[in-house]
Amino acid sequence: MRTLEEVQATLQIAKVKEEDLQPVTYCLSFGDNVSSGDYCLMELDDTLCKLIEAGKSLIIRGDKDERAVLCNEDKTYDLKIADTSNLLLFVPGCKTPDQLPDISASPQLLHVQIWGFSNCYWELRRQRPRLKKLKKLLMENPYDGPAVGMQEEAPGPKYTMDDLLERIQASREEIEAHLQNVHACEIDGFWRILAFDYEMKLLGHVTQLVDSESWSFSKVPLSVCLEELGSLEIMNRENNGQVIYALDEDKVCRATAQLLLQNAVKFNLSEFQEVWQQSVPEGMSARLDQLRGLALLDRSSKPETISLLRIEDLPEDTLERFNSLFSLREKWTQDDIEPYIQDLCGEKQTTGALLTKHARSSVQNGVKVYNSRRPVAT
């Protein structure tokens, strides 16, 4: 090992003034069996550092055929290897100048061992959770009602929350929020999505009961619903106290529109609006703004038309999403395309900024429209 005198002699040869340096010099040596594969480095921001210091966990998720992501309880980060031209050394106990206690001006030499080294590290970038797979898994075995009599439920895969956490590249809070967005229910410990026909059947039972009892849509007693509909559907009737629910007018109208549109390629807009209004419960108002991200209007055709286009059926990747949208329609107004790209925006990004990055704009007949930046494959 080097002595202090040897270090000072080296500084003189290098023509470095000793007074320009910190008074403490570290003399590094490699420990036994040191290799670059012993450790991995990860760059963390202040928020993630504080989580680790508080004893919280960070989890790496992803199936074998997926790119790994890192999650805490409520956020998802992309993991990317970043190379560095400087060799990074792992030296336990080594302190930076600001961490050193008050020391005398006289030079000191400290000997420390290198435990490992690396020329790369994991770089984290906040990203949108990859949730499209969640609904795909749940749709492998949608729930179409309880088994009746000797009939057994159709076989198929079912997933608990722990199963979803193993398979989905998202944090727990993001998964829980998406389960609500897709109207999933926890049944016998497994998360299930109601088959659409069964969901509409249940909705029909409830709206008919509301109509027959002359209830307000904003005051629907749960206990009475369970009692009255128990003969039609096997339901869990446990209920502590009187619970009042309200039917969400926008969601009821939206579900009814999906039922009408799902079997038609295109629908004459004016005829659709008439049939739609007749199909929703009396007292509810069907409006086109309830269909954002569900249906696409074509105002340029004669007559005007409407067709089913669900945002959940579009690609999750940003570039693939834009390519898919521009393959469906060559030109989009911002009002038409906005519902289908809002979920792609980051925390501080607007749909306008996203369009500027991924589409070309022009003005036609006084209206700003957007075209693809690249040729669309046909």
Side-chain angles (χ1 to χ4, degrees), residues 34-80:
V34 174
S35 76
S36 61
D38 291 339
Y39 299 93
C40 290
L41 288 175
M42 184 178 293
E43 185 179 61
L44 303 180
D45 60 21
D46 288 342
T47 301
L48 294 178
C49 277
K50 289 177 181 177
L51 286 176
I52 293 292
E53 290 167 355
K56 303 291 185 180
S57 297
L58 301 178
I59 302 173
I60 295 176
R61 293 196 170 113
D63 279 344
K64 293 181 179 179
D65 59 343
E66 296 172 330
R67 184 170 173 171
V69 300
L70 182 128
C71 301
N72 62 3
E73 278 297 311
D74 62 350
K75 294 181 180 66
T76 302
Y77 297 84
D78 184 43
L79 275 172
K80 183 180 179 181

Side-chain angles (χ1 to χ4, degrees), residues 109-295:
L109 182 65
L110 299 179
H111 293 276
V112 292
Q113 276 198 336
I114 298 170
W115 282 22
F117 60 91
S118 177
N119 60 357
C120 64
Y121 62 94
W122 287 103
E123 184 179 58
L124 300 182
R125 290 186 181 180
R126 177 75 191 281
Q127 72 161 34
R128 291 179 293 105
R130 298 169 185 172
L131 294 164
K132 193 176 182 69
K133 184 177 175 181
L134 188 151
K135 187 170 184 179
K136 182 180 178 181
L137 291 177
L138 298 186
M139 288 303 294
E140 293 174 352
N141 184 19
Y143 184 77
D144 57 5
V148 179
M150 301 297 293
Q151 179 184 359
E152 293 186 2
E153 185 182 350
K158 293 186 287 188
Y159 300 95
T160 65
M161 176 57 76
D162 287 342
D163 295 331
L164 296 177
L165 289 171
E166 286 290 325
R167 302 289 302 276
I168 306 301
Q169 293 180 294
S171 68
R172 186 184 189 95
E173 287 190 16
E174 289 166 332
I175 291 174
E176 290 173 346
H178 196 63
L179 286 170
Q180 292 187 7
N181 290 339
V182 299
H183 305 152
C185 305
E186 190 174 15
I187 302 172
D188 297 329
F190 297 97
W191 283 96
R192 312 286 299 277
I193 285 184
L194 301 186
F196 184 69
D197 290 344
Y198 180 66
E199 185 177 2
M200 293 305 297
K201 177 184 174 183
L202 293 179
L203 178 60
H205 289 333
V206 173
T207 54
Q208 288 175 17
L209 179 61
V210 170
D211 181 63
S212 66
E213 297 291 337
S214 299
W215 291 335
S216 165
F217 288 123
S218 62
K219 295 181 180 180
V220 181
L222 175 62
S223 58
V224 179
C225 281
L226 294 175
E227 188 65 33
E228 293 293 327
L229 301 180
S231 59
L232 299 175
E233 299 292 335
I234 300 175
M235 298 182 178
N236 182 356
R237 303 191 188 187
E238 294 181 11
N239 180 34
N240 297 321
Q242 180 71 305
V243 180
I244 302 296
Y245 279 91
L247 290 180
D248 189 310
E249 180 174 328
D250 289 347
K251 290 182 179 179
V252 172
C253 292
R254 186 181 176 92
T256 305
Q258 181 176 338
L259 183 65
L260 295 173
L261 291 170
Q262 66 180 1
N263 295 319
V265 177
K266 284 189 178 180
F267 213 124
N268 180 295
L269 180 58
S270 60
E271 292 178 0
F272 167 78
Q273 287 180 285
E274 184 178 348
V275 174
W276 183 27
Q277 184 59 60
Q278 293 171 354
S279 302
V280 301
E282 186 176 353
M284 289 190 176
S285 178
R287 307 183 315 276
L288 291 177
D289 64 276
Q290 295 164 334
L291 305 184
R292 287 174 61 84
L294 176 70

Side-chain angles (χ1 to χ4, degrees), residues 88-105:
L88 303 172
L89 303 177
F90 309 157
V91 184
C94 186
K95 296 183 179 180
T96 58
D98 60 307
Q99 295 174 322
L100 292 170
D102 292 335
I103 53 178
S104 63

